[in-house]
Amino acid sequence: MTPDAQDVGGNDQQGWSQSARRRGAVAVVDLAAVTHNTARMLAAAGGAAVMAVVKADAYGHGLVPCALAAQRGGATWLGTALFEEALRLRDAGVGGPILAWLSGPGADWDAVLARGIDVSVSAPWALPELTAAAGRVGRPARVHLKVDTGLSRAGSQPTDWPDLVTAAAQAQALGAVEVVGLWSHLACADTPEHPANSTALQRFHDAYGQATAAGLTPQVRHLANSAATLALPDTRLDLVRPGIALYGISPGEQIGTVRALGLRAAMSLRARLALVKRVPAGQGVSYGHAYVTDRETVLGLVPLGYGDGIARSAANRGPVQAGLLRTSVVGQVCMDQVVVDLGPGSAARIGDEVVLFGDAGTGVPEVEDWGRATGTIGYEVVTRIGPRVPRAYVGGVA
């Protein structure tokens, strides 16, 4: 069951829906925070429009609810990686322009064209397939041409760009495609002073000049992600594409903390203790006894594990808030559960709530704390939280 389809009714004030109470764990998603963060990015965009990036199930937060929350915050575009994600939005009745950018030969062009979804093109091979699909569907394909400005991922190499814009102009002249956008992606936006940023911007402007010389007049140029929207004003152009910032996570230490950026954490990962027990000093905990108690203490069992997206690298270091106590995961992370050391004086009981991460303003660990503890980034921490964890939506209409 996808997060969008889960029970979002009957929440208590902490977001515990009926399904979450049965499961013993919940990812509470504050849709008002998504709306707030989108408005914050719109204000930072310097007059550019906002494309809310909701790929990967809105970074694990829930595709449809977060897309609608972002639109309430002022996003006029939506962005997805996969065609299937864009089609899910349309199936849910979400309007407005949507760009889906990751496809290969034989993709279901007909479906996306029929639903009014824009597509990205990085190489000429796609244009004949789009031309054929446009003929079958009876409408031109809305295309965003992508140039590689230094990331060396998707996008046409500058040396191949003239051939792509020429082929696109020919397809447009036949009425098969409409080139509505020109775009790229920055490799080093989270390091604002990196020279690759200015190089990429110049390559982008050069590519735009070649496109217009070929007779194309794209309506929107877009280059800036969350970090660039906040820190690189020259990259904002006509449209910005924030993703991670919409969910209240900083795009990088050099960009600023969540509080300094005026963002609000959207996800809070919570669980209820499934077991509490007192153990003696010298007690090994979890597989391999990677943790051994150094005194008599109280252990709590948390019903979340790597099967739910908790990284195994959280062993002996993943932060957890248990009441007023900041503690951590102890021992190896198991598929379905972890153990926390609650201390010798703990009066914890089965069913008490613990928080793995959430809004730091409430005194709990942040997503970034988990990123640092597990050797990764906030993006991965939230997108790893899998469908076994119910989502409960608060602060807006799910």
Side-chain angles (χ1 to χ4, degrees), residues 279-373:
V279 300
Q283 178 70 54
V285 178
S286 195
Y287 292 121
H289 287 180
Y291 180 81
V292 177
T293 59
D294 60 4
R295 75 269 192 245
E296 180 181 283
T297 191
V298 175
L299 300 178
L301 187 66
V302 178
L304 289 168
Y306 62 76
D308 305 294
I310 306 301
R312 291 190 75 245
S313 54
N316 292 333
R317 58 177 59 90
V320 177
Q321 192 72 27
L324 298 178
L325 174 69
R326 176 67 60 90
T327 185
S328 69
V329 171
V330 293
Q332 295 291 348
V333 175
C334 304
M335 185 180 292
D336 313 296
Q337 53 204 289
V338 296
V339 178
V340 294
D341 189 337
L342 299 170
S346 175
R349 297 178 298 177
I350 294 172
D352 283 357
E353 182 182 88
V354 296
V355 181
L356 281 73
F357 59 76
D359 183 354
T362 63
V364 302
E366 295 181 275
V367 168
E368 286 88 345
D369 294 327
W370 268 80
R372 286 187 289 270

Side-chain angles (χ1 to χ4, degrees), residues 40 48-49 61 63 67 128 140 237-238 241 267 310 326:
R40 169 71 184 97
H61 292 67
L63 176 68
L237 306 174
D238 305 308
R241 303 187 310 271
M267 182 186 286
I310 306 301
R326 176 67 60 90

Side-chain angles (χ1 to χ4, degrees), residues 4-97:
D4 293 340
Q6 288 175 355
D7 173 23
V8 296
N11 296 344
D12 63 19
Q13 291 182 348
Q14 298 300 316
W16 285 92
S17 65
Q18 184 177 8
S19 61
R21 288 191 289 270
R22 288 194 298 265
R23 171 65 176 78
V26 63
V28 181
V29 178
D30 183 355
L31 296 175
V34 176
T35 298
H36 166 87
N37 296 333
T38 306
R40 169 71 184 97
M41 298 306 290
L42 180 60
V50 169
M51 175 187 290
V53 178
V54 292
K55 63 180 180 175
D57 202 36
Y59 293 51
H61 292 67
L63 176 68
V64 173
C66 288
L68 295 173
Q71 288 182 332
R72 291 193 291 272
T76 50
W77 289 71
L78 297 171
T80 70
L82 306 182
F83 285 7
E84 291 84 353
E85 296 167 331
L87 291 168
R88 278 180 59 200
L89 290 170
R90 286 289 192 246
D91 289 344
V94 178

